[in-house]
């Protein structure tokens, strides 16, 4: 995985800037994409948020750039979404590498059954 990671602002350790290459054999291959990861005060107990700063057209990315994948959802079971298992959601043992690998995997294999961008899923 080719990625460059740094702080958005040297005074804020909770907000990181990420630039990574689009995965091979996808529509994103050859592109470079900018995102930000923002960590909550109680990290690693709760997941970070990831927001693409590059304009993205993808079923699991909202129009505002927010990434919607299971690993970024709060730990535990979601009674409103029984299709998502607790072990697919955030766990404190996970880290930034797991998030980035999941996002890159998501770019290659979108979950169209649970879209954040309905138009992109169609």
């Amino acid at each position: 995985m080719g990625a460059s990671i740094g702080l958005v602002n040297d005074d804020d350790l909770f907000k990181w800037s990420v630039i990574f290459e689009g995965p091979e054999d996808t529509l994103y291959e050859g592109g470079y994409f900018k995102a930000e990861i923002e960590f909550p005060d109680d990290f690693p107990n709760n997941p970070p948020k990831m927001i693409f700063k590059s304009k993205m057209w993808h079923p699991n990315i909202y129009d505002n750039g927010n990434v919607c994948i299971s690993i970024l959802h709060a730990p535990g079971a979601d009674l409103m979404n029984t299709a998502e298992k607790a072990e697919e959601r955030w766990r404190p043992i996970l880290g930034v590498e797991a998030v980035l690998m999941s996002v890159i995997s998501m770019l290659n294999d979108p979950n169209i059954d649970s879209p954040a961008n309905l138009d992109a899923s169609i």
Side-chain angles (χ1 to χ4, degrees):
M1 167 182 66
S4 174
I5 300 172
L7 296 175
V8 170
N9 177 336
D10 288 342
D11 296 332
D12 187 355
L13 298 177
F14 291 97
K15 200 168 193 179
W16 295 8
S17 176
V18 180
I19 298 174
F20 63 92
E21 298 176 63
E24 291 182 16
D25 300 323
T26 69
L27 296 173
Y28 307 98
E29 182 177 12
Y32 288 89
F33 302 95
K34 186 174 182 179
E36 289 182 359
I37 299 176
E38 189 169 341
F39 299 90
D41 291 338
D42 61 350
F43 181 82
N45 294 324
N46 278 297
K49 293 180 183 176
M50 185 165 177
I51 301 167
F52 273 96
K53 295 301 182 175
S54 300
K55 186 70 177 159
M56 299 295 287
W57 178 255
H58 189 278
N60 305 118
I61 301 172
Y62 288 99
D63 285 338
N64 66 1
N66 285 336
V67 176
C68 182
I69 56 174
S70 297
I71 195 173
L72 295 178
H73 295 165
D78 182 353
L79 299 177
M80 301 302 284
N81 182 6
T82 55
E84 185 178 75
K85 299 177 179 125
E87 57 269 14
E88 296 171 328
R89 296 166 67 92
W90 180 256
R91 291 167 286 145
I93 195 169
L94 299 172
V96 174
E97 184 178 7
V99 170
L100 293 176
M101 293 302 292
S102 293
V103 169
I104 288 170
S105 176
M106 170 201 77
L107 291 175
N108 187 44
D109 187 22
N111 179 0
I112 59 172
D113 294 329
S114 181
N117 182 328
L118 187 57
D119 290 336
S121 71
I122 293 171

